[in-house]
């Protein structure tokens, strides 16, 4: 009986990673419970992103009647803080806390910024909609402040949270930790989208206030749980230290052999994968005549592909794979994916379109995991925040600008095509979308060119390490 019980226990332990794919990300230094707790900050970041880009985008235009150009400006405001992520990461590297922490204060202040922005946002939106007897400029100012606070908070929280995860995880476990953190972000986005949709199915101003302030409460609670007893206190951080200059630190980081090329590749690849974010569902409905339910399912396909990409990348990198090679494979899959999306229109194939959407998620997951892991690997113990802040700044800025540009390119390209300037054969409703998808393919090819030397450099470094090890062994 005891022998059978032991066999069952061993079988369940072997099954653990299969049932919970990220179970093997845990280490002695960072147990699974503590790691899952830390990942909660990514859940709140995903929730804030869905609330801003998805839920409030529709509510402000449809239910509250806010002009579309004002909505566009408000949604663009969080992007202002994205380039400052490198500075925030640097400050968390050099922070000297009386309590002996360097990451925790920044994550907590980022959480408070998110909470404050979400707390005042519903009232600001109601004034912005004109449902008031007071001056409208108060609503404009308050809404702008709310969006800025949420943007500053989520960028600060994510940047420093990733730096804390890098501090806590041993080098060999970082690829799996990255995969878990990215999966937590996807989970936060998907779960909050469902919850917000259900709660606002019967819209009312009171319900809007309850939902947004509920999100504020969930943010501060989950981030508080995530931070609890994560960063060890170091008494050395309470002592005065030689101040470091951000400009000098940035020049030293950017002057490292492959840093600039790495950031260029991250920007090009992120822009290539992100331009489609607001166009896939309209493309499926307008061009392929899919139902609302069918186009909504595209989000699930995209997320499923992204999750699969994270799992594959985690296993590949966990076995010693090159993160730049993983990123390059993701870019190659992205090129095939957008080609499938382009050919879905002339072939009128919903199946080809669905396959393309799934491959976009798969390629994007591989690319994001690979570039984030590469940034972690290149970070030294004293500049982790700076390196991850640079990754986040380039990634967030490229994504925001490309999403904003995609709508403009589609509208302008479609108008030019339908005016007859490009010829009768190009006078089709799909042309505006196809122009955007071809630009994305071009951006991904450019990212592939930028990644090529990085892959070769890592391969040469690996060969040098092996030769050095063999030489040392022979000398011994």
């Amino acid at each position: 009986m005891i022998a059978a019980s032991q066999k069952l226990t061993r079988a369940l332990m072997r099954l653990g990673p299969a049932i919970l794919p990220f179970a093997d990300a845990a280490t002695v230094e960072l147990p699974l419970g503590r790691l899952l707790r830390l990942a909660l900050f990514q859940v709140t970041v995903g929730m804030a992103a869905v609330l801003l880009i998805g839920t409030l985008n529709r509510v402000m235009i449809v239910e509250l009647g806010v002009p579309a150009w004002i909505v566009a400006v408000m949604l663009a405001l969080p992007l202002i803080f994205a380039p400052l992520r490198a500075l925030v990461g640097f400050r968390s590297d050099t922070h000297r806390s009386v309590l002996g922490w360097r990451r925790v204060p920044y994550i907590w202040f980022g959480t408070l910024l998110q909470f404050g922005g979400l707390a005042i946002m519903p009232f600001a939106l109601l004034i912005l909609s004109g449902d008031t007897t007071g001056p409208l400029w108060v609503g404009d100012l308050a809404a702008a402040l709310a969006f800025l606070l949420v943007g500053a908070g989520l960028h600060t929280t994510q940047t420093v949270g990733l730096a804390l995860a890098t501090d806590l995880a041993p080098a060999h476990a970082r690829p799996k930790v990255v995969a878990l953190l990215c999966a937590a972000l996807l989970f936060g986005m998907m779960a909050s989208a469902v919850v917000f949709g259900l709660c606002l199915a019967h819209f009312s101003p009171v319900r809007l206030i309850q939902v947004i302030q509920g999100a504020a409460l969930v943010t501060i609670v989950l981030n508080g749980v995530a931070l609890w007893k994560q960063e060890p206190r170091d008494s050395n951080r309470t002592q005065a230290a030689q101040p470091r200059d951000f400009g000098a630190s940035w020049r030293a980081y950017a002057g490292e052999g492959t840093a600039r090329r790495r950031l260029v590749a991250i920007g090009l690849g992120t822009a290539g994968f992100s331009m489609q974010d607001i166009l896939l569902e309209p493309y499926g409905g307008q061009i392929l005549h899919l139902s609302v339910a069918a186009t909504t399912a595209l989000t699930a396909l995209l997320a499923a592909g992204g999750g699969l990409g994270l799992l594959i990348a985690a296993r590949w990198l966990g076995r010693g794979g090159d993160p730049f090679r993983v990123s390059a494979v993701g870019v190659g899959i992205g090129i095939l994916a957008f080609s499938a999306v382009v050919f879905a229109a002339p072939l009128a194939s919903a199946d080809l379109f669905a396959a393309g959407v799934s491959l976009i998620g798969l390629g994007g997951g591989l690319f994001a995991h690979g570039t984030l892991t590469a940034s972690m690997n290149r970070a030294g113990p004293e500049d982790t925040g700076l390196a991850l802040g640079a990754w986040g700044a380039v990634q967030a800025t490229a994504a925001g600008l490309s999403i904003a540009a995609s709508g403009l390119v589609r509208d302008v390209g479609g108008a030019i095509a339908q005016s007859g300037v490009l010829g009768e054969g190009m006078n089709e409703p799909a042309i505006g979308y196809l122009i955007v998808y071809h630009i994305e393919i071009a951006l991904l090819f450019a990212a592939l060119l930028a990644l090529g030397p990085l892959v070769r450099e890592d391969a040469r470094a690996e060969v040098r390490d092996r030769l050095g090890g063999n030489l040392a062994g022979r000398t011994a």
Side-chain angles (χ1 to χ4, degrees):
M1 187 69 178
I2 296 176
S5 176
Q6 290 175 342
K7 289 181 181 179
L8 178 61
T9 302
R10 285 195 294 268
L12 289 175
M13 290 177 67
R14 285 195 298 269
L15 234 95
I19 299 174
L20 183 62
F22 303 106
D24 53 355
T27 61
V28 175
E29 299 88 349
L30 192 60
L32 185 60
R34 186 178 174 191
L35 179 57
L36 290 175
R37 226 171 14 90
L38 179 62
L40 291 177
F41 80 86
Q42 283 282 70
V43 175
T44 64
V45 169
M47 180 178 64
V50 167
L51 185 63
L52 295 184
I53 298 172
T55 305
L56 290 181
N57 184 19
R58 179 251 160 81
V59 167
M60 291 170 69
I61 293 175
V62 179
E63 276 78 13
L64 298 181
V66 179
W69 71 269
I70 294 181
V71 175
V73 170
M74 293 298 171
L75 294 179
L77 285 176
L79 186 62
I80 293 175
F81 200 82
L84 299 178
R85 289 175 68 143
L87 177 60
V88 170
F90 170 76
R91 293 298 182 193
S92 73
D93 287 335
T94 58
H95 184 66
R96 294 297 179 263
S97 170
V98 174
L99 297 175
W101 288 316
R102 60 174 179 168
R103 310 290 187 197
V104 167
Y106 282 87
I107 300 175
W108 186 242
F109 283 125
T111 300
L112 292 179
L113 288 172
Q114 277 182 263
F115 177 82
L118 292 172
I120 66 174
M121 186 177 291
F123 303 104
L125 295 181
L126 293 177
I127 297 174
L128 187 66
S129 68
D131 188 16
T132 179
T133 56
L136 292 180
W137 64 265
V138 175
D140 295 335
L141 185 62
L145 176 62
F147 278 88
L148 274 174
L149 287 175
V150 174
L154 69 90
H155 286 304
T156 300
T157 300
Q158 187 177 49
T159 299
V160 185
L162 290 172
L164 177 58
T166 305
D167 294 341
L168 297 177
H172 68 86
R174 284 176 188 167
K176 295 171 184 176
V177 171
V178 169
L180 176 61
L181 294 176
C182 292
L185 180 66
L186 281 176
F187 172 78
M189 296 177 71
M190 294 176 65
S192 57
V194 172
V195 172
F196 292 153
L198 292 175
C199 291
L200 293 174
H202 302 287
F203 179 81
S204 70
V206 174
R207 182 62 61 87
L208 177 66
I209 294 173
Q210 292 172 338
V211 167
I212 299 180
Q213 293 195 328
L217 180 61
V218 170
T219 295
I220 204 164
V221 169
L222 290 186
N223 283 3
V225 173
L227 282 179
W228 181 253
K229 293 186 177 180
Q230 292 287 5
E231 184 180 25
R233 294 172 60 182
D234 185 353
S235 59
N236 292 329
R237 297 191 186 119
T238 65
Q239 300 172 4
Q242 187 68 26
R244 291 164 55 192
D245 177 63
F246 173 72
S249 297
W250 173 255
R251 286 191 294 272
Y253 171 77
E256 182 262 323
T258 60
R260 293 183 185 274
R261 178 175 287 274
R262 183 168 67 248
L263 294 177
V264 168
I266 291 170
L268 290 171
T270 301
F273 278 110
S274 299
M275 286 187 78
Q276 50 75 31
D277 276 1
I278 62 171
L279 297 183
L280 281 181
E281 290 195 34
Y283 179 74
Q286 183 180 358
I287 307 304
L288 297 176
H289 309 293
L290 300 178
S291 65
V292 175
T295 56
T296 303
L298 295 175
T299 304
L301 284 175
L302 195 66
L308 180 60
L310 295 175
L311 284 174
I312 293 173
R315 292 185 180 277
W316 189 351
L317 294 170
R319 295 170 181 171
D322 173 16
F324 292 119
R325 194 178 298 276
V326 172
S327 302
V329 170
V331 170
I333 292 174
I335 293 171
L336 293 176
F338 284 110
S339 299
V341 171
V342 167
F343 282 109
L347 296 176
S349 174
D351 292 337
L352 185 59
F353 179 51
V357 171
S358 301
L359 288 176
I360 291 173
L362 176 62
L366 288 169
F367 177 79
H369 195 307
T371 54
L372 180 54
T373 301
S375 298
M376 280 184 166
N377 291 345
R378 294 299 183 283
E382 296 302 320
D383 63 353
T384 303
L386 176 63
L388 294 177
W391 173 86
V394 172
Q395 191 261 355
T397 303
L401 293 178
S402 61
I403 291 171
S406 65
L408 179 63
V409 171
R410 189 209 65 168
D411 291 345
V412 173
I416 293 174
Q418 293 184 13
S419 69
V421 173
L422 302 179
E424 186 177 349
M426 297 287 285
N427 188 6
E428 296 289 339
I431 296 302
Y433 293 100
L434 297 183
I435 291 173
V436 174
Y437 297 144
H438 279 88
I439 291 174
E440 290 186 279
I441 292 173
L443 288 170
L444 291 178
F445 269 116
L448 208 54
L449 291 174
L451 284 168
L454 298 175
V455 175
R456 290 196 299 271
E457 178 64 28
D458 266 28
R460 285 194 292 266
E462 185 178 350
V463 170
R464 286 195 299 268
D465 290 343
R466 287 179 180 175
L467 290 176
N470 291 337
L471 185 60
R474 290 175 184 175
T475 304

